[in-house]
Amino acid sequence: MNRRKVLLIHPPVIRPCEPPPGIAKLAGALKRHGVEYNIIDANLEGLRSVCQNSVAVPDTWTRRAVTRVERNLEALIQPAAYQNLDRYKQAVLELNRVLTMQDRYRSTEVSLANYQDQNLSPVKSNDLIRALESPEKNPFFPYFEKRMSVVLENDRPGLVGFSLNFLSQALCTFAMIGVLRRLDPTVRIILGGGLITSWMRQPGWKNPFEGIIDELVAGEGEGALLSMLGIEGAAGFSLSDFAGFLPLPYFSPGFILPYSASSGCYWRRCAFCPERAEANPYRPVTPARVLSQLKTLICSLRPVLVHFTDNALSPALLKALCREPCAAPWYGFVRITQHLADPDFCRALKRSGCVMLQIGLESGSQKVLDGFCKGIDLKIAQKVLDNLKHAGIAAYVYLLFGTPWESESDAAKTLDFSVKNSGSITFLNLAIFNLPAFGPQTEALDTTPLDTGDLFLYRRFEHPTGWHRQHIRKFLENKFRRHPAIAPIIRNDPPVFTSSHAAFFTPSLL
Ligand code: SF4
């Protein structure tokens, strides 16, 4: 076995439309230090494998969907499917149907965007360990076993790194580790990613995986990974390496390049923000370096779209992009700022390649926004939406209901604001507030744990005005989504993939 050879794995399940940026970053660091490595997108491969090995079940819709698996898998990697929203929706929903129906006799449910198990919780360390001990109960097991056997045989890695970012990946990650351990108990395992970081930054964290996982890493993993390989003092800057991901059949009409121009958030003032609660520092890459890296990456990878994965693109970077346009269309999150209230600035952004901006507006009530410390003025927000529309940039607006400051009349104001600006809102995401388990604002509320697990991230709380989830759900279903000005916007959202594919349905990219 080659003690220095590394295998990096992106575990299921998240939307399989672009490569995982965290692993590409680790790959870049290994490449820079001359370490041999291989990558596996087990999310994409595993989902395709479950679809392709599906069997017909006795209902007409699923039977038809099963016969069309290959056709739909092929359609979703071709541009034509993205030129007709109805055809696209059919392909996505049929594949999703095949996935969810394959497991109807088990306790698990797989979809293109999620994984759930009625018997195991991803926020209980004991359940994660059970997933590791009985990986054959996981619906991806046949794929995991075959793939891991081949890679261990051919590559003989000494170190395997998993990037675990979302709860929907946790049980599958541990099942995959279980398969690896059975095949080769000597392989060393390192586990990092956003979810591991959130767990490790909780107060009173005690590692429940001692003796099971060799190393858990909070935050950026490059240093820890290199240190496990005996490469010390290796901090420094590496360009992400996407070469191994480039030929993979992601569900998109071409290669989407995920790029992060910063970690943390330059604003860091919003209440309940995990970036703040976890004390994640803001680390921007300088705009000059971003532009030069993008140039190199775009030149070699020829992406159809650049996805900025930052929590919020800084005004400094937006200005730099206006001066020196990106050579590929791009989208990402921004905060509502005075810059965007300038129509010329929005037109310059459009010329820079911007096709869509994601905006965490959260509420149409100024009182709620102020309580949240969002730093958003609704009059400016209205102007920004108007400017984006006139510049030809799609607005993907995120709204959040049920925050402690919100009452039903505030939610009605959010509906009024959305209706008034419906002509400038291209896509809408409606979410109900989840109270983070820890943080100073959480302590001020009357709370109980939402889950009984030791790794829970959210808490239930007694809403100060009684504006509870069941009322909010009714309001959203009966009033918000059905409003004649809102319903067409909701229908416009690509199912399952939502913002990840939305840019392909904007006039700029159609
Ligand atoms: S803009 Fe987003 S990431 Fe930044 S502080 Fe607010 S909620 Fe947090």
Side-chain angles (χ1 to χ4, degrees):
M1 181 191 310
N2 183 350
R3 279 267 151 223
R4 289 270 308 239
K5 190 153 185 183
V6 176
L7 174 63
L8 300 172
I9 297 180
H10 176 48
V13 172
I14 66 168
R15 294 177 276 195
C17 49
E18 63 186 48
I23 290 195
K25 232 171 150 198
L26 293 172
L30 294 174
K31 187 174 176 180
R32 178 163 160 251
H33 290 277
V35 178
E36 255 193 281
Y37 65 90
N38 194 1
I39 55 100
I40 294 185
D41 191 329
N43 177 53
L44 177 69
E45 291 183 6
L47 286 169
R48 286 181 67 91
S49 169
V50 174
C51 282
Q52 287 170 320
N53 292 295
S54 54
V55 288
V57 293
D59 81 85
T60 314
W61 181 19
T62 314
R63 264 205 313 275
R64 198 182 56 180
V66 167
T67 62
R68 299 217 287 224
V69 161
E70 288 302 337
R71 197 164 106 187
N72 287 332
L73 286 174
E74 180 59 25
L76 290 176
I77 61 173
Q78 302 296 341
Y82 296 80
Q83 273 149 25
N84 179 321
L85 185 57
D86 289 334
R87 201 164 356 129
Y88 164 90
K89 279 185 180 174
Q90 188 184 1
V92 169
L93 295 176
E94 283 187 351
L95 286 175
N96 221 34
R97 175 78 182 179
V98 169
L99 287 169
T100 51
M101 290 307 285
Q102 286 316 296
D103 260 16
R104 69 202 186 287
Y105 299 125
R106 298 202 216 197
S107 59
T108 55
E109 186 174 310
V110 184
S111 75
L112 284 169
N114 202 9
Y115 177 82
Q116 283 178 301
D117 189 321
Q118 283 164 23
N119 299 329
L120 299 176
S121 162
V123 295
K124 290 184 182 167
S125 57
N126 282 342
D127 284 1
L128 292 170
I129 294 168
R130 278 169 65 200
L132 179 146
E133 288 168 347
S134 306
E136 59 286 333
K137 291 188 181 156
N138 187 289
F140 291 99
F141 179 73
Y143 158 74
F144 289 161
E145 194 182 37
K146 196 166 162 195
R147 187 66 162 107
M148 290 300 100
S149 308
V150 172
V151 83
L152 288 178
E153 175 79 25
N154 294 346
D155 288 6
R156 307 186 71 73
L159 181 57
V160 179
F162 286 85
S163 177
L164 173 48
N165 292 290
F166 300 98
L167 283 174
S168 58
Q169 295 177 293
L171 289 164
C172 292
T173 302
F174 278 78
M176 234 179 148
I177 294 171
V179 172
L180 264 176
R181 285 273 185 245
R182 279 185 191 175
L183 292 168
D184 181 355
T186 68
V187 78
R188 287 183 305 157
I189 290 174
I190 177 169
L191 195 48
L195 183 59
I196 297 291
T197 305
S198 296
W199 283 339
M200 291 177 74
R201 298 232 163 116
Q202 288 189 358
W205 159 256
K206 280 196 195 79
N207 180 4
F209 309 118
E210 284 274 2
I212 298 173
I213 309 292
D214 296 283
E215 181 102 16
L216 293 178
V217 183
E220 292 179 359
E222 291 94 311
L225 180 62
L226 291 167
S227 157
M228 278 183 89
L229 295 163
I231 305 169
E232 295 297 344
F237 207 83
S238 313
L239 186 65
S240 294
D241 183 15
F242 288 96
F245 298 106
L246 192 56
L248 302 184
Y250 285 106
F251 290 42
S252 55
F255 188 76
I256 301 177
L257 170 63
Y259 182 87
S260 162
S262 64
S263 58
C265 173
Y266 77 88
W267 178 249
R268 273 230 292 175
R269 286 187 223 169
C270 302
F272 300 113
C273 173
E275 295 298 333
R276 208 174 131 180
E278 291 169 15
N280 294 331
Y282 176 54
R283 290 212 182 94
V285 181
T286 62
R289 181 169 259 170
V290 172
L291 296 180
S292 111
Q293 289 199 335
L294 279 177
K295 214 172 185 177
T296 309
L297 290 168
I298 291 171
C299 192
S300 64
L301 302 167
R302 304 264 164 222
V304 289
L305 186 64
V306 173
H307 170 201
F308 282 104
T309 57
D310 304 55
N311 284 312
L313 291 169
S314 69
L317 178 58
L318 294 177
K319 283 184 201 163
L321 283 162
C322 289
R323 282 194 303 274
E324 207 174 310
C326 185
W330 63 267
Y331 79 99
F333 268 102
V334 287
R335 292 189 57 256
I336 296 221
T337 58
Q338 276 291 354
H339 310 81
L340 295 166
D342 174 358
D344 288 337
F345 188 75
C346 292
R347 280 192 287 269
L349 274 183
K350 173 70 181 172
R351 286 193 298 276
S352 81
C354 177
V355 289
M356 183 175 91
L357 289 179
Q358 293 164 283
I359 299 169
L361 177 65
E362 320 299 16
S363 176
S365 157
Q366 193 62 55
K367 178 192 97 193
V368 172
L369 291 173
D370 295 346
F372 228 135
C373 302
K374 290 298 291 182
I376 294 177
D377 179 327
L378 279 174
K379 286 196 197 80
I380 294 176
Q382 199 158 341
K383 178 98 184 93
V384 168
L385 290 172
D386 201 40
N387 286 347
L388 294 179
K389 181 190 172 181
H390 285 105
I393 297 174
Y396 200 117
V397 174
Y398 292 73
L399 298 175
L400 190 58
F401 295 87
T403 53
W405 311 277
E406 191 186 61
S407 62
E408 186 163 1
S409 71
D410 292 304
K413 284 184 187 165
T414 304
L415 174 58
D416 287 347
F417 182 92
S418 307
V419 169
K420 201 167 164 194
N421 293 284
S422 55
S424 319
I425 296 174
T426 326
F427 303 101
L428 261 179
N429 176 292
L430 312 179
I432 301 182
F433 176 68
N434 284 319
L435 179 72
F438 302 99
Q441 291 104 353
T442 298
E443 277 150 34
L445 293 163
D446 179 7
T447 67
T448 46
L450 188 62
D451 297 286
T452 51
D454 51 340
L455 302 172
F456 64 86
L457 298 170
Y458 301 103
R459 295 179 80 88
R460 210 185 297 279
F461 74 106
E462 198 50 47
H463 193 282
T465 68
W467 180 226
H468 288 300
R469 296 178 91 82
Q470 67 271 27
H471 301 131
I472 300 169
R473 275 197 205 100
K474 268 195 202 142
F475 168 79
L476 291 179
E477 227 25 74
N478 300 338
K479 293 195 181 156
F480 204 103
R481 289 179 205 276
R482 289 194 189 173
H483 192 286
I486 301 296
I489 304 176
I490 304 276
R491 280 199 299 274
N492 202 26
D493 204 27
V496 182
F497 289 90
T498 65
S499 60
S500 303
H501 277 168
F504 296 120
F505 296 97
T506 60
S508 325
L509 282 187
L510 267 175

mmCIF file with all atom_site columns, all heavy atoms in Angstrom, residues 265 267-270 273 275 311-312 335 374, ligand 1:
data_model
loop_
_atom_site.group_PDB
_atom_site.id
_atom_site.type_symbol
_atom_site.label_atom_id
_atom_site.label_alt_id
_atom_site.label_comp_id
_atom_site.label_asym_id
_atom_site.label_entity_id
_atom_site.label_seq_id
_atom_site.pdbx_PDB_ins_code
_atom_site.Cartn_x
_atom_site.Cartn_y
_atom_site.Cartn_z
_atom_site.occupancy
_atom_site.B_iso_or_equiv
_atom_site.pdbx_formal_charge
_atom_site.auth_seq_id
_atom_site.auth_comp_id
_atom_site.auth_asym_id
_atom_site.auth_atom_id
_atom_site.pdbx_PDB_model_num
ATOM   1   N  N   . CYS A 1 265 ? -17.989 35.559 5.988  1.00 0.00 ? 265 CYS A N   1
ATOM   2   C  CA  . CYS A 1 265 ? -18.866 36.568 5.362  1.00 0.00 ? 265 CYS A CA  1
ATOM   3   C  C   . CYS A 1 265 ? -18.386 37.947 5.760  1.00 0.00 ? 265 CYS A C   1
ATOM   4   O  O   . CYS A 1 265 ? -18.063 38.181 6.928  1.00 0.00 ? 265 CYS A O   1
ATOM   5   C  CB  . CYS A 1 265 ? -20.299 36.352 5.837  1.00 0.00 ? 265 CYS A CB  1
ATOM   6   S  SG  . CYS A 1 265 ? -21.420 37.657 5.295  1.00 0.00 ? 265 CYS A SG  1
ATOM   7   N  N   . TRP A 1 267 ? -20.092 40.615 6.012  1.00 0.00 ? 267 TRP A N   1
ATOM   8   C  CA  . TRP A 1 267 ? -21.079 41.356 6.799  1.00 0.00 ? 267 TRP A CA  1
ATOM   9   C  C   . TRP A 1 267 ? -21.097 40.848 8.245  1.00 0.00 ? 267 TRP A C   1
ATOM   10  O  O   . TRP A 1 267 ? -20.922 41.628 9.177  1.00 0.00 ? 267 TRP A O   1
ATOM   11  C  CB  . TRP A 1 267 ? -22.455 41.208 6.125  1.00 0.00 ? 267 TRP A CB  1
ATOM   12  C  CG  . TRP A 1 267 ? -23.582 41.876 6.832  1.00 0.00 ? 267 TRP A CG  1
ATOM   13  C  CD1 . TRP A 1 267 ? -24.613 41.267 7.484  1.00 0.00 ? 267 TRP A CD1 1
ATOM   14  C  CD2 . TRP A 1 267 ? -23.812 43.282 6.979  1.00 0.00 ? 267 TRP A CD2 1
ATOM   15  N  NE1 . TRP A 1 267 ? -25.467 42.183 8.018  1.00 0.00 ? 267 TRP A NE1 1
ATOM   16  C  CE2 . TRP A 1 267 ? -24.992 43.440 7.731  1.00 0.00 ? 267 TRP A CE2 1
ATOM   17  C  CE3 . TRP A 1 267 ? -23.140 44.425 6.575  1.00 0.00 ? 267 TRP A CE3 1
ATOM   18  C  CZ2 . TRP A 1 267 ? -25.518 44.683 8.056  1.00 0.00 ? 267 TRP A CZ2 1
ATOM   19  C  CZ3 . TRP A 1 267 ? -23.661 45.675 6.912  1.00 0.00 ? 267 TRP A CZ3 1
ATOM   20  C  CH2 . TRP A 1 267 ? -24.831 45.785 7.638  1.00 0.00 ? 267 TRP A CH2 1
ATOM   21  N  N   . ARG A 1 268 ? -21.292 39.577 8.434  1.00 0.00 ? 268 ARG A N   1
ATOM   22  C  CA  . ARG A 1 268 ? -21.217 38.928 9.747  1.00 0.00 ? 268 ARG A CA  1
ATOM   23  C  C   . ARG A 1 268 ? -22.035 39.596 10.852 1.00 0.00 ? 268 ARG A C   1
ATOM   24  O  O   . ARG A 1 268 ? -21.640 39.596 12.027 1.00 0.00 ? 268 ARG A O   1
ATOM   25  C  CB  . ARG A 1 268 ? -19.747 38.856 10.206 1.00 0.00 ? 268 ARG A CB  1
ATOM   26  C  CG  . ARG A 1 268 ? -19.036 37.639 9.696  1.00 0.00 ? 268 ARG A CG  1
ATOM   27  C  CD  . ARG A 1 268 ? -18.316 36.905 10.786 1.00 0.00 ? 268 ARG A CD  1
ATOM   28  N  NE  . ARG A 1 268 ? -17.201 37.657 11.314 1.00 0.00 ? 268 ARG A NE  1
ATOM   29  C  CZ  . ARG A 1 268 ? -16.464 37.280 12.331 1.00 0.00 ? 268 ARG A CZ  1
ATOM   30  N  NH1 . ARG A 1 268 ? -16.713 36.137 12.909 1.00 0.00 ? 268 ARG A NH1 1
ATOM   31  N  NH2 . ARG A 1 268 ? -15.485 38.023 12.765 1.00 0.00 ? 268 ARG A NH2 1
ATOM   32  N  N   . ARG A 1 269 ? -23.167 40.234 10.479 1.00 0.00 ? 269 ARG A N   1
ATOM   33  C  CA  . ARG A 1 269 ? -23.936 40.879 11.534 1.00 0.00 ? 269 ARG A CA  1
ATOM   34  C  C   . ARG A 1 269 ? -25.319 40.279 11.703 1.00 0.00 ? 269 ARG A C   1
ATOM   35  O  O   . ARG A 1 269 ? -26.016 40.591 12.661 1.00 0.00 ? 269 ARG A O   1
ATOM   36  C  CB  . ARG A 1 269 ? -24.096 42.369 11.221 1.00 0.00 ? 269 ARG A CB  1
ATOM   37  C  CG  . ARG A 1 269 ? -22.816 43.123 11.443 1.00 0.00 ? 269 ARG A CG  1
ATOM   38  C  CD  . ARG A 1 269 ? -23.053 44.605 11.287 1.00 0.00 ? 269 ARG A CD  1
ATOM   39  N  NE  . ARG A 1 269 ? -21.957 45.180 10.531 1.00 0.00 ? 269 ARG A NE  1
ATOM   40  C  CZ  . ARG A 1 269 ? -21.940 46.393 10.045 1.00 0.00 ? 269 ARG A CZ  1
ATOM   41  N  NH1 . ARG A 1 269 ? -22.979 47.183 10.205 1.00 0.00 ? 269 ARG A NH1 1
ATOM   42  N  NH2 . ARG A 1 269 ? -20.906 46.831 9.374  1.00 0.00 ? 269 ARG A NH2 1
ATOM   43  N  N   . CYS A 1 270 ? -25.776 39.487 10.750 1.00 0.00 ? 270 CYS A N   1
ATOM   44  C  CA  . CYS A 1 270 ? -27.152 38.966 10.826 1.00 0.00 ? 270 CYS A CA  1
ATOM   45  C  C   . CYS A 1 270 ? -27.315 38.075 12.055 1.00 0.00 ? 270 CYS A C   1
ATOM   46  O  O   . CYS A 1 270 ? -26.442 37.257 12.353 1.00 0.00 ? 270 CYS A O   1
ATOM   47  C  CB  . CYS A 1 270 ? -27.496 38.153 9.585  1.00 0.00 ? 270 CYS A CB  1
ATOM   48  S  SG  . CYS A 1 270 ? -27.322 39.082 8.060  1.00 0.00 ? 270 CYS A SG  1
ATOM   49  N  N   . CYS A 1 273 ? -26.845 33.909 12.410 1.00 0.00 ? 273 CYS A N   1
ATOM   50  C  CA  . CYS A 1 273 ? -26.039 33.423 11.289 1.00 0.00 ? 273 CYS A CA  1
ATOM   51  C  C   . CYS A 1 273 ? -24.996 32.425 11.816 1.00 0.00 ? 273 CYS A C   1
ATOM   52  O  O   . CYS A 1 273 ? -24.255 32.727 12.751 1.00 0.00 ? 273 CYS A O   1
ATOM   53  C  CB  . CYS A 1 273 ? -25.328 34.591 10.618 1.00 0.00 ? 273 CYS A CB  1
ATOM   54  S  SG  . CYS A 1 273 ? -24.168 33.997 9.380  1.00 0.00 ? 273 CYS A SG  1
ATOM   55  N  N   . GLU A 1 275 ? -22.256 31.574 10.512 1.00 0.00 ? 275 GLU A N   1
ATOM   56  C  CA  . GLU A 1 275 ? -20.892 32.107 10.336 1.00 0.00 ? 275 GLU A CA  1
ATOM   57  C  C   . GLU A 1 275 ? -20.460 32.864 11.583 1.00 0.00 ? 275 GLU A C   1
ATOM   58  O  O   . GLU A 1 275 ? -19.309 32.815 12.002 1.00 0.00 ? 275 GLU A O   1
ATOM   59  C  CB  . GLU A 1 275 ? -20.833 33.049 9.120  1.00 0.00 ? 275 GLU A CB  1
ATOM   60  C  CG  . GLU A 1 275 ? -21.087 32.387 7.784  1.00 0.00 ? 275 GLU A CG  1
ATOM   61  C  CD  . GLU A 1 275 ? -20.050 31.330 7.440  1.00 0.00 ? 275 GLU A CD  1
ATOM   62  O  OE1 . GLU A 1 275 ? -18.915 31.438 7.913  1.00 0.00 ? 275 GLU A OE1 1
ATOM   63  O  OE2 . GLU A 1 275 ? -20.399 30.385 6.719  1.00 0.00 ? 275 GLU A OE2 1
ATOM   64  N  N   . ASN A 1 311 ? -20.745 33.220 0.634  1.00 0.00 ? 311 ASN A N   1
ATOM   65  C  CA  . ASN A 1 311 ? -21.964 33.621 1.350  1.00 0.00 ? 311 ASN A CA  1
ATOM   66  C  C   . ASN A 1 311 ? -22.497 34.938 0.802  1.00 0.00 ? 311 ASN A C   1
ATOM   67  O  O   . ASN A 1 311 ? -23.704 35.148 0.722  1.00 0.00 ? 311 ASN A O   1
ATOM   68  C  CB  . ASN A 1 311 ? -21.665 33.797 2.843  1.00 0.00 ? 311 ASN A CB  1
ATOM   69  C  CG  . ASN A 1 311 ? -21.549 32.465 3.541  1.00 0.00 ? 311 ASN A CG  1
ATOM   70  O  OD1 . ASN A 1 311 ? -22.396 31.597 3.378  1.00 0.00 ? 311 ASN A OD1 1
ATOM   71  N  ND2 . ASN A 1 311 ? -20.472 32.289 4.296  1.00 0.00 ? 311 ASN A ND2 1
ATOM   72  N  N   . ALA A 1 312 ? -21.585 35.839 0.462  1.00 0.00 ? 312 ALA A N   1
ATOM   73  C  CA  . ALA A 1 312 ? -21.978 37.114 -0.148 1.00 0.00 ? 312 ALA A CA  1
ATOM   74  C  C   . ALA A 1 312 ? -20.760 37.671 -0.888 1.00 0.00 ? 312 ALA A C   1
ATOM   75  O  O   . ALA A 1 312 ? -19.691 37.818 -0.278 1.00 0.00 ? 312 ALA A O   1
ATOM   76  C  CB  . ALA A 1 312 ? -22.437 38.100 0.920  1.00 0.00 ? 312 ALA A CB  1
ATOM   77  N  N   . ARG A 1 335 ? -25.388 40.762 -1.125 1.00 0.00 ? 335 ARG A N   1
ATOM   78  C  CA  . ARG A 1 335 ? -26.258 41.473 -0.189 1.00 0.00 ? 335 ARG A CA  1
ATOM   79  C  C   . ARG A 1 335 ? -26.830 42.685 -0.926 1.00 0.00 ? 335 ARG A C   1
ATOM   80  O  O   . ARG A 1 335 ? -26.231 43.171 -1.883 1.00 0.00 ? 335 ARG A O   1
ATOM   81  C  CB  . ARG A 1 335 ? -25.453 41.965 1.022  1.00 0.00 ? 335 ARG A CB  1
ATOM   82  C  CG  . ARG A 1 335 ? -24.962 40.826 1.902  1.00 0.00 ? 335 ARG A CG  1
ATOM   83  C  CD  . ARG A 1 335 ? -24.378 41.360 3.192  1.00 0.00 ? 335 ARG A CD  1
ATOM   84  N  NE  . ARG A 1 335 ? -25.344 42.169 3.918  1.00 0.00 ? 335 ARG A NE  1
ATOM   85  C  CZ  . ARG A 1 335 ? -25.340 43.478 3.974  1.00 0.00 ? 335 ARG A CZ  1
ATOM   86  N  NH1 . ARG A 1 335 ? -24.370 44.183 3.409  1.00 0.00 ? 335 ARG A NH1 1
ATOM   87  N  NH2 . ARG A 1 335 ? -26.285 44.139 4.611  1.00 0.00 ? 335 ARG A NH2 1
ATOM   88  N  N   . LYS A 1 374 ? -30.078 42.731 9.237  1.00 0.00 ? 374 LYS A N   1
ATOM   89  C  CA  . LYS A 1 374 ? -29.697 42.377 7.866  1.00 0.00 ? 374 LYS A CA  1
ATOM   90  C  C   . LYS A 1 374 ? -29.016 43.549 7.159  1.00 0.00 ? 374 LYS A C   1
ATOM   91  O  O   . LYS A 1 374 ? -28.372 43.362 6.124  1.00 0.00 ? 374 LYS A O   1
ATOM   92  C  CB  . LYS A 1 374 ? -30.931 41.990 7.034  1.00 0.00 ? 374 LYS A CB  1
ATOM   93  C  CG  . LYS A 1 374 ? -31.599 40.707 7.390  1.00 0.00 ? 374 LYS A CG  1
ATOM   94  C  CD  . LYS A 1 374 ? -30.781 39.466 7.240  1.00 0.00 ? 374 LYS A CD  1
ATOM   95  C  CE  . LYS A 1 374 ? -30.438 39.038 5.869  1.00 0.00 ? 374 LYS A CE  1
ATOM   96  N  NZ  . LYS A 1 374 ? -29.666 37.764 5.854  1.00 0.00 ? 374 LYS A NZ  1
HETATM 97  S  S1  . SF4 B 2 .   ? -25.194 37.847 4.818  1.00 0.00 ? 1   SF4 B S1  1
HETATM 98  FE FE1 . SF4 B 2 .   ? -25.526 35.639 5.183  1.00 0.00 ? 1   SF4 B FE1 1
HETATM 99  S  S2  . SF4 B 2 .   ? -23.549 34.822 5.796  1.00 0.00 ? 1   SF4 B S2  1
HETATM 100 FE FE2 . SF4 B 2 .   ? -23.455 37.045 5.965  1.00 0.00 ? 1   SF4 B FE2 1
HETATM 101 S  S3  . SF4 B 2 .   ? -23.950 37.510 8.092  1.00 0.00 ? 1   SF4 B S3  1
HETATM 102 FE FE3 . SF4 B 2 .   ? -25.846 37.613 6.935  1.00 0.00 ? 1   SF4 B FE3 1
HETATM 103 S  S4  . SF4 B 2 .   ? -26.733 35.540 7.055  1.00 0.00 ? 1   SF4 B S4  1
HETATM 104 FE FE4 . SF4 B 2 .   ? -24.575 35.408 7.662  1.00 0.00 ? 1   SF4 B FE4 1
#
